[in-house]
Amino acid sequence: MGRSPCCDKLGLKKGPWTPEEDQKLLAYIEEHGHGSWRSLPEKAGLHRCGKSCRLRWTNYLRPDIKRGKFNLQEEQTIIQLHALLGNRWSAIATHLPKRTDNEIKNYWNTHLKKRLVKMGIDPVTHKPKNETPLGLSKNAATLSHMAQWESARLEAEARLARESKLLHYQSKASSHNHHGFTHKSLLTTWTTKPNQGNTDQQQQQQLESPTSTVSFSDIKEPSTGISAKMEFVGSSTGLALIKEPENDWISTTIFEATQMAEGVEEGFTGLLLGGDTLGRSFSTDKNEREGNNNDGECNNYFEDNKNYLDSIFNFVDPSPSDSTPIF
DNA sequence: AACGTGTTCAACCGCGAGGTG
DNA sequence: TCACCTCGCGGTTGAACACGT
């Protein structure tokens, strides 16, 4: 695999950025878009490598960055998503508007990780350190399935977000810029339901539309090979999996839970954030089961997930409806 | 005030994925 | 198919800062 020469080899500047450099980079990108990072420094009159410029832009100069302290909601989101996704900071960052993956990573390493350790929670597994893993194996496997799907969705969202941003800056600079950027929406890779053969503009609208729908068919669950039909509803909204009639699968639950969460928080992540929502959705299921006690496998699934997810939520937020800080 | 220690976070590094010719 | 290139990600580093003695 080829590798770009490092800054040292090119004799380029390293280390902290000066205000002058920031200004040059900012002015250039606002005027032309970033285009190829590789060629940007020369065009912008910077003695930096493209990588350094990209990092400075994405982590510091970008106008849509929120700086300063993380609030409680953000902290909870990070912890909960970390429990599902591990150190996949870019995926986590897609659910924290205006926060960069670097910032989240730093915050986790310097604050949240230590707090969990203090609370006796393993920051890697998100389980109490004295808990035996045996009792959780089935639940862990279930959560793992959910995490796989959520991971896939987050990756897709991250791509959409990136492409959407690219489009934004590209269009902003369109009167000046002719880098030949071609927007290849993820939606063109997948089967687009409402309008195929979209123009870029239409695609962008679709990307940003809260009601855009992408349908999948014959999706295979990674570890089991079970097929299902799946639908994304909204650009950053819930994963709604519609199960195949013959398959009794996790998808059903996510779909139902998403319906429960409607109007409260967005999608599966909203489910995670809104412990109350989750509680209501599961307890509703439980109530239904108590009144209509059949379908044992399904019951076990709901019970297992409720217990396991509750265990995660209880670690981080013992009283979801209460806004009292937990740390 | 001076020093040592701990903490923070911007920036760097190396790697892998994906695109292209 | 392969080599090369660009980009983005996650882990790590180290300068700057905060705090305690």
Side-chain angles (χ1 to χ4, degrees), chain A residues 32-58:
Chain A
H32 303 92
H34 65 68
S36 165
W37 287 112
R38 177 80 165 172
S39 58
L40 182 146
E42 195 181 343
K43 292 176 184 170
L46 290 160
H47 294 96
R48 296 268 183 176
C49 66
K51 207 171 180 177
S52 181
C53 294
R54 180 176 57 79
L55 211 66
R56 185 64 179 171
W57 171 254
T58 54

Side-chain angles (χ1 to χ4, degrees), chain A residues 11 45 78 129 149 153 170 186 194 288 302 312:
Chain A
I78 294 169
K129 279 183 172 168
W149 280 105
R153 189 180 68 80
Q170 196 72 16
L186 190 62
E288 283 171 359
F302 280 120
I312 287 179

